[in-house]
Amino acid sequence: MNSLRFRAALAGAVSILALQACGNAASEPGNAPAGQDAPIVTEVPPAGQLPTGVSPLAYRLDLKTDPDAESFGGLVEIDVDLSAPHGRIWLHSVDQDILDARAVLPDGTSVPATFTGDQAPGGVSRLDFDTPLPAGPATLELSYIAPYNFGLAGLYKAVQSDTDYLATQMEAIDARRMVPSFDEPRFKTPWTVTVTAPAGMQVIANGEEINAKPAEDGWVRHEFAKTRPIQSYLVALAVGPYEERIAADIPATALRAEPIPLRGFAAIGKRDKLAESLDITDEMLLWQESYFDYPYPYGKLDLIAAPEFAYGAMENAGAIIYREAALLMDEQTSLARRRGVLTTHAHELGHQWFGNLVTPKWWNDIWLNEAFATWISYKTMHAVDPDGEWNLSPILAGLSAMGSDSLVAARQIRNPINANGDILDAFDAITYRKGGSVLNMFETYLGEEDFRAGIRLHMKRFEDGVADADDFMQSIADGSGQPEIVSSFTSYISQPGIPSLDVAVSCPAPDAGLITITQKRYAPLGSDIDPDAQVWEIPFAARINGPTGDRTIRQMLKDRVTEIPLDGGCADWVMPNADGTGYWRFDTGSDNLNALIDAYDSLSDGEQILFADALESGFRAGRISIEDLKRGIEATTSGHPRAVSEATGVIPTLNRLLDESGQENLRAWVQATFGPLAEYLESRPATALSQQEVLLRDKIYSLLLEYGDRPEDRSALLDRAQRYIGANGTPDQSALPPEDLGIAMKIGAEDGGRAFYDAATAYLPSVTNQTERRTLLAALANRGDESMVEDLFAESLKGSYSADEVFAVVSSALSNDTAKDRAWEIFMAEFGAIVARMPEIRKPQLAGMTGYVCSVQKSSDIAAFFETKGALIPGYERSLAQGVERAQLCSALKTQKALDVKNAFQ
């Protein structure tokens, strides 16, 4: 970098914030010199991937930032290689004023360029050169100024306790907000970053800080080591008065000769809340190093709790950024939240290998990052906390994705990405949870050691490079020695939906049983899905109990109908998903269903969980009667805590299908079914309960308060909620344990009326804990009356809440059963202002809230509204389609099942 010229330009950039980008209409490129190929000038702006032929090789980025300012200045040099002469280069830039743009050739020739931005959605921009650039190496140089983003994207500003902080969130396509770049995952290059910031500020980046020296007028220039090759979405920066906590180095190992420096950063006053996450990091990372048989790649490791963050966390190489609620812990952190923090942390650490060291070529394979990190997080936690029963987590993750995967508008795991607006679609439950569950299924099928051999091979084949799904599956096939797995894997990632197995158990002869399996696509009542249009290659496993004992059979199902003979006698019962690790649903005849109910206590933990899912999914598909549903739910209460929890999921749906009289009878049934279990769990000391029992105790407590019959407990909880927020005096945080906060705030909003609302909103400004603030606001918005919802929208528009909190208020209010009509009126009337207060990534998700209504007509009207506002929420289309479909399915279930449910609870 020509440091004198560029430092002078940088200083000027910061002082002339109103200066517009130089240049007007693009100049015509000059003629190619004699004997040289005609220069490439691609006319049509690329909607998706940038054109081939220009490859970035390295970035050198020099920034000047001040959290108290409204904008920053930047200078970037990008070394590129041109496969042919170019008169125009396409790249990415969002909200930047380009002050100067040029290319420098190896002989020192400087070629001026004209920058033209916003040529296609996603900041697609172009550089037109006064003279075409020859094939071979060149360096692009751009100086610019840009505003800090307030939508939690790019280099953004977050404010906490009237103090400004800077942090970054680049994934998916927001690095282009901080620096003009080739902002695609296939381009992995080293980055050398220098940041000039006011003295006294912490400055954290991907590389280790190698120098910090005074600059002019109270500024300090921070220089960071060049990184290994990383993609632009992994570039990280945090600047501000963060408090630092230095942890012990992670020790050297046989794989890694040098220790890893480990630090944590948090907003003022929150340093000590980093301790637990820092303390467990070494165990997690050392286990993952051993699993991959590859040393941690990025030298040092910083964990940064941003005062505001749109996601849970971001796996930036060597500088992971978290929302506070996903990293900070103290005595007010519930067990459920603590488990969430730990899995998020293990997820981000796992990304340092899968996603960072080896990166997908394009966004259609982002599932390779996120599904793998989801799956490895559970394996990591099971290794470091075996009492937590984390081995069940992939099963539960898969079930949690099945709501989305039941839709005709569902994505496939490996979904085509044809335009920038499609990219955020890929960050959903299908990618993370279904993908993680599918990986777990194939690990079970192949065997843990063989699967790990494929993973290790993949790391070594593609270290510091890019790979796609075909590369991954080939590595698994080669490493495991089982090439037949590829076609089965492909059938799962290349089509949407849930395989649904109709498992018929028969006995054609006294000494010979038969299982007949017919596969379809799962379709709930009212769905437009054609259940017979798809076939999967399913790594089927079933548990058989009969005269010959208890055994598991395994077979790859490739045909629509498969018959499996059972030699040695007829089965007493068949569990059609052995250990619950398969990603499929099942239906079975009433005789086998009743036999499974009778043998429920003999099922494994995972099988009990899948049995509970089969009850609800069968009911929603019209395959299980309400009587069998009730009997099955009652049977689960003697089983594993997570199976009980899964079985309770249908109760809110049953409540909505009933009138007031039926709801009274439902409450009596819920109390009779789950009350004895609650009393047992509540009578035991917490130290005598497993983690899963503690979680179930808390869930059943909330369930009985909302859908059971515990009026005295409800009144007592309201009193404690009032004391907590100081409704009648000074707030008392000891009045509620953290696990009761959510249900207490809901009951406060419902039963405490306006007085509770006023006290809660008066208490809120004193709260800096993100989880507590979001819980309180969501409860008020979801359970308050119309006047409360009106006030919450008004405060959101005034700027009283953070961007993420605004999203919580809006989503909760629009699903408020008693005030949703008024909430939708305000939402539509103030749509532009509300969207402006949202995190960038949440904007297209707003359209999915159409699914909060249970009416075909209302959903159609809301959809028409969103379609007129599409320019404000780019990429909304799939979210809207899924929301409309959810509303239609809700209406269909009500039409077809409400009478049966009413009769069952007369």
Side-chain angles (χ1 to χ4, degrees), residues 48-280:
Q49 287 184 288
L50 295 173
T52 58
V54 181
S55 300
L57 305 176
Y59 287 80
R60 290 174 295 280
L61 176 62
D62 195 336
L63 295 175
K64 190 169 186 179
T65 66
D66 179 357
D68 292 334
E70 298 301 313
S71 60
F72 63 97
L75 306 157
V76 64
E77 287 185 338
I78 312 172
D79 294 340
V80 297
D81 181 72
L82 308 178
S83 64
H86 275 67
R88 172 177 296 164
I89 289 177
W90 293 96
L91 75 170
H92 299 110
S93 171
V94 173
D95 294 339
Q96 293 156 353
D97 287 339
I98 305 299
L99 307 179
D100 184 69
R102 63 187 60 247
V104 178
L105 304 180
D107 64 2
T109 300
S110 179
V111 182
T114 300
F115 173 87
T116 308
D118 296 323
Q119 297 300 286
V124 175
S125 305
R126 71 174 192 253
L127 291 172
D128 290 297
F129 296 94
D130 290 2
T131 302
L133 306 182
T139 297
L140 307 179
E141 296 181 350
L142 298 97
S143 63
Y144 60 98
I145 55 175
Y148 296 123
N149 181 269
F150 284 87
L152 310 184
L155 178 57
Y156 67 87
K157 182 184 288 196
V159 181
Q160 188 173 105
S161 301
D162 296 322
T163 302
D164 294 334
Y165 299 83
L166 301 179
T168 53
Q169 174 54 42
M170 305 306 199
E171 193 179 38
I173 55 171
D174 287 310
R176 60 194 69 179
R177 293 179 184 275
M178 186 177 84
V179 54
S181 53
F182 298 84
D183 192 14
E184 293 182 7
R186 63 189 163 121
F187 297 128
K188 296 183 71 171
T189 73
W191 286 71
T192 304
V193 175
T194 300
V195 179
T196 302
M201 296 287 177
Q202 294 283 359
V203 181
I204 309 105
N206 301 93
E208 183 178 3
E209 186 172 36
I210 56 177
N211 193 18
K213 55 188 177 183
E216 74 288 345
D217 299 328
W219 294 73
V220 176
R221 184 174 174 80
H222 302 262
E223 298 174 358
F224 296 91
K226 181 168 71 174
T227 69
R228 286 177 76 141
I230 59 174
Q231 58 274 36
S232 54
Y233 77 69
L234 289 181
V235 174
L237 181 64
V239 181
Y242 291 92
E243 291 183 348
E244 178 184 25
R245 187 181 183 98
I246 300 176
D249 288 355
I250 299 174
T253 66
L255 279 174
R256 174 176 38 78
E258 298 295 328
I260 301 169
L262 176 63
R263 304 181 299 174
F265 296 88
I268 294 170
K270 297 184 176 181
R271 173 184 176 277
D272 290 343
K273 297 181 181 183
L274 292 159
E276 288 188 62
S277 293
L278 287 168
D279 287 347
I280 200 172

Side-chain angles (χ1 to χ4, degrees), residues 259-413:
I260 301 169
L262 176 63
R263 304 181 299 174
F265 296 88
I268 294 170
K270 297 184 176 181
R271 173 184 176 277
D272 290 343
K273 297 181 181 183
L274 292 159
E276 288 188 62
S277 293
L278 287 168
D279 287 347
I280 200 172
T281 299
D282 59 346
E283 284 188 75
M284 291 181 175
L285 189 140
L286 291 169
W287 185 87
Q288 290 181 353
E289 279 188 320
S290 176
Y291 182 86
F292 290 113
D293 194 31
Y294 193 104
Y296 171 75
Y298 299 109
K300 58 89 174 174
L301 178 59
D302 292 326
L303 313 179
I304 305 153
E308 280 192 69
F309 201 69
Y311 292 88
M314 180 61 211
E315 65 268 19
N316 313 303
I320 306 172
I321 299 181
Y322 303 74
R323 77 165 56 224
E324 287 184 346
L327 185 66
L328 305 183
M329 292 185 279
D330 60 16
E331 68 281 355
Q332 288 298 111
T333 305
S334 68
L335 174 61
R337 181 68 253 148
R338 180 169 271 102
R339 286 173 63 93
V341 169
L342 295 176
T343 49
T344 298
H345 190 28
H347 179 111
E348 304 311 323
L349 291 175
H351 268 310
Q352 305 303 303
W353 289 268
F354 227 105
N356 296 8
L357 183 67
V358 180
T359 304
K361 294 176 181 176
W362 182 237
W363 297 107
N364 61 327
D365 279 322
I366 196 62
W367 71 274
L368 282 172
N369 283 18
E370 301 302 347
F372 189 90
T374 299
W375 170 80
I376 199 69
S377 71
Y378 303 139
K379 289 190 71 70
T380 303
M381 287 310 305
H382 191 58
V384 302
D385 178 29
D387 292 338
E389 299 181 83
W390 299 92
N391 56 305
L392 299 176
S393 296
I395 298 172
L396 296 162
L399 294 182
S400 71
M402 287 185 177
S404 296
D405 214 15
S406 299
L407 303 176
V408 71
R411 292 175 53 257
Q412 58 200 46
I413 293 177

Side-chain angles (χ1 to χ4, degrees), residues 335 339 385 387-389 639-641 676-701 739:
L335 174 61
R339 286 173 63 93
D385 178 29
D387 292 338
E389 299 181 83
H640 190 274
L677 176 59
E679 291 173 6
Y680 168 73
L681 293 171
E682 291 167 2
S683 69
R684 300 179 69 198
T687 54
L689 300 176
S690 70
Q691 289 185 37
Q692 296 298 338
E693 287 174 325
V694 170
L695 294 171
L696 179 62
R697 179 200 65 191
D698 299 340
K699 182 159 189 174
I700 296 298
Y701 175 67
E739 58 270 15

